[in-house]
Amino acid sequence: MSIACADIGAYFGGKRFGKHSLDKVGLGAAAKASPNKTTEGAVTGLVSAGLCSYIGALFLRWPNPWLGFVYGAGVATIALVGDLTASMLKRDADVKDFGKIRDAYTDTKWAPHLKRLTYLVDAQMNFGGMIDAWLS
């Protein structure tokens, strides 16, 4: 849920407030991989994910609901890095969409939904592992 909130928040925040490309904050490679991403969009996406997870922590009655915000923003950060990495790989391979590569191996109509699910699970597991290592 936090990644979906991050995507939605980043899209609308970038459309409404986006004026600075990611290369303005020292992320030149990211700006080349995904030139339409803005710093304002990235920040609104992280805040959106944090707020979404904070509300979830309140509903779940976490003892420290502010950790929900930290969790959501952390997961959104990993998802953003993964998205930028995928964009760099696509640009290097001169492919507009990974679906063109995938279609050579599968004909299923539900494969895009499976791809989205794997991105969500990967980001959640990576961040969970980082938190576990930090707390150990």
Side-chain angles (χ1 to χ4, degrees):
M1 187 65 133
S2 56
I3 295 175
C5 289
D7 287 346
I8 293 166
Y11 176 77
F12 286 110
K15 287 289 184 191
R16 173 70 174 98
F17 304 110
K19 293 186 183 357
H20 303 93
S21 177
L22 290 175
D23 65 344
K24 302 292 186 210
V25 292
L27 297 173
K32 288 177 186 169
S34 193
N36 292 330
K37 287 198 183 346
T38 63
T39 306
E40 294 84 359
V43 170
T44 56
L46 298 179
V47 171
S48 297
L51 289 175
C52 179
S53 295
Y54 175 78
I55 292 169
L58 287 175
F59 277 117
L60 294 173
R61 297 186 178 146
W62 284 15
N64 297 320
W66 61 270
L67 286 175
F69 185 90
V70 173
Y71 176 79
V75 167
T77 301
I78 291 174
L80 177 62
V81 169
D83 182 49
L84 292 171
T85 302
S87 294
M88 285 185 216
L89 291 172
K90 288 190 292 188
R91 289 218 183 252
D92 286 346
D94 198 28
V95 173
K96 174 78 174 140
D97 184 12
F98 278 141
K100 292 180 182 176
I101 296 170
R102 183 201 66 237
D103 289 342
Y105 300 103
T106 180
D107 284 333
T108 60
K109 299 291 183 196
W110 52 269
H113 303 294
L114 182 62
K115 179 180 78 169
R116 175 97 174 145
L117 178 65
T118 59
Y119 287 156
L120 295 173
V121 170
D122 287 347
Q124 298 282 354
M125 289 177 60
N126 286 332
F127 189 69
M130 287 174 32
I131 292 293
D132 185 47
W134 180 62
L135 293 175
S136 298

